[in-house]
Amino acid sequence: MGLSSNTILHTTDKKGLCGILKELNFRLKYCNEMVLAGGNNLNTAFPMVSFSDFPVSELKYRDSYGRYGIGLKKAWARTNKLNPVLYVEKKSLLISYYYKQFKSIDLKENRIDNDWRDTVFHILSYMKNYQGNLKIERLKINKKNYRFSDEREWRYVPSKEVLKKHNIPSFYEGEYYSKNKIRCNQKLLPLKLPFSIKDINYIIVNRENEIEEFINYITEYHKGLTSVESHSLCSRIISMTRIKYDF
């Protein structure tokens, strides 16, 4: 089996999956990323939705972000202009060169070319350290020297044109965002990342006995589905228990 698949996976909790299936879209949130560049930190929060492209069988080893999820076709990802994350080693030449460009924005202040500045920040929104500390307070996760590259992350980050249309900041300084998460994320409510029933490859639930519950949930909110469409969709529901023992 290959290291990647034709499916991109978004993992979450039960409430999150129910909301995604009901609305057939993903809500964007600012994500505070700490990219280490040598002895310097680039601490910035960007609006995004994150996915992974490792095979479904790998979920049994990679459930840090939740035991529920949805897998969408890679063709959908390409159509919506998602892109794999650029993983960087904190002491590499690449990140040192990038950091020089980033710092030059402060030096030039208002004299800088706006398109170039936007490009520098947009590249940063797709960057992540190859390895570092993983801390997720809501899930009580705190792992040292976690290898982020194993996640094979893909991201959707809205374009500057979309953000400008809705008067939404393209980023926040990390410390400010940490203190104002609710206020910042409320600005993103107008933005959604939609998909259709036909884009779904998998629906992942935690336990086998939850499959019927989700079948009833889907048919309740999507009554317009034909019997063939409904059966096809429900056949794509798979439990983490089944993945653990059968894949």
Side-chain angles (χ1 to χ4, degrees):
M1 181 178 290
L3 295 178
S4 61
S5 71
N6 290 319
T7 299
I8 61 166
L9 298 165
H10 176 84
T11 52
T12 182
D13 56 20
K14 186 173 183 178
K15 181 180 178 181
L17 178 59
C18 287
I20 290 168
L21 292 174
K22 178 182 177 180
E23 300 176 5
L24 294 182
N25 63 53
F26 298 93
R27 294 183 179 182
L28 278 69
K29 288 186 177 181
Y30 285 96
C31 182
N32 191 2
E33 291 286 358
M34 176 80 76
V35 177
L36 304 179
N40 304 293
N41 297 332
L42 299 175
N43 187 11
T44 317
F46 295 98
M48 66 177 70
V49 184
S50 293
F51 303 82
S52 295
D53 83 335
F54 50 72
V56 171
S57 59
E58 291 292 299
L59 273 173
K60 57 190 171 187
Y61 308 116
R62 312 172 192 270
D63 58 354
S64 296
Y65 297 98
R67 296 181 63 82
Y68 297 81
I70 185 168
L72 300 176
K73 296 176 181 177
K74 192 72 72 66
W76 170 86
R78 296 189 181 99
T79 298
N80 286 277
K81 303 186 185 305
L82 277 71
N83 198 76
V85 162
L86 172 61
Y87 292 102
V88 293
E89 167 57 42
K90 64 181 180 181
K91 295 183 179 180
S92 67
L93 284 174
L94 176 61
I95 194 61
S96 66
Y97 292 152
Y98 176 83
Y99 185 73
K100 288 179 181 178
Q101 298 301 309
F102 183 87
K103 289 303 293 182
S104 69
I105 294 175
D106 294 333
L107 296 175
K108 293 183 179 180
E109 296 178 344
N110 295 329
R111 292 175 292 163
I112 193 171
D113 176 80
N114 287 336
D115 287 338
W116 183 78
R117 178 187 60 194
D118 291 342
T119 298
V120 170
F121 273 97
H122 195 69
I123 292 173
L124 180 60
S125 72
Y126 282 93
M127 295 177 76
K128 196 164 190 170
N129 280 123
Y130 171 78
Q131 184 170 297
N133 296 332
L134 173 65
K135 188 174 183 179
I136 308 175
E137 293 182 1
R138 64 182 177 84
L139 298 176
K140 298 180 180 179
I141 293 174
N142 191 358
K143 298 181 180 180
K144 301 294 184 182
N145 297 318
Y146 179 79
R147 190 162 293 174
F148 292 107
S149 63
D150 289 346
E151 296 177 352
R152 301 183 62 85
E153 184 181 351
W154 284 54
R155 286 179 182 172
Y156 169 77
V157 180
S159 68
K160 64 178 182 180
E161 290 79 13
V162 169
L163 293 170
K164 185 176 181 180
K165 177 181 178 181
H166 295 278
N167 195 28
I168 297 173
S170 57
F171 66 90
Y172 285 104
E173 190 276 329
E175 186 174 346
Y176 174 86
Y177 173 70
S178 295
K179 297 176 181 178
N180 300 275
K181 289 184 178 181
I182 296 177
R183 184 187 305 171
C184 294
N185 284 317
Q186 282 179 338
K187 295 180 180 294
L188 292 173
L189 291 178
L191 299 187
K192 301 289 190 296
L193 178 59
F195 62 92
S196 68
I197 293 292
K198 67 180 181 180
D199 295 316
I200 301 174
N201 276 347
Y202 300 101
I203 296 170
I204 297 102
V205 299
N206 187 22
R207 297 182 299 274
E208 196 76 6
N209 61 11
E210 292 178 295
I211 290 178
E212 184 175 354
E213 175 187 349
F214 273 84
I215 289 174
N216 293 333
Y217 184 84
I218 291 168
T219 53
E220 176 185 356
Y221 282 102
H222 301 289
K223 299 182 184 299
L225 293 175
T226 66
S227 58
V228 174
E229 290 172 330
S230 180
H231 177 76
S232 175
L233 179 59
C234 293
S235 69
R236 301 171 203 169
I237 303 177
I238 188 170
S239 71
M240 288 290 287
T241 304
R242 178 71 60 83
I243 293 170
K244 180 178 180 181
Y245 290 107
D246 291 353
F247 283 73

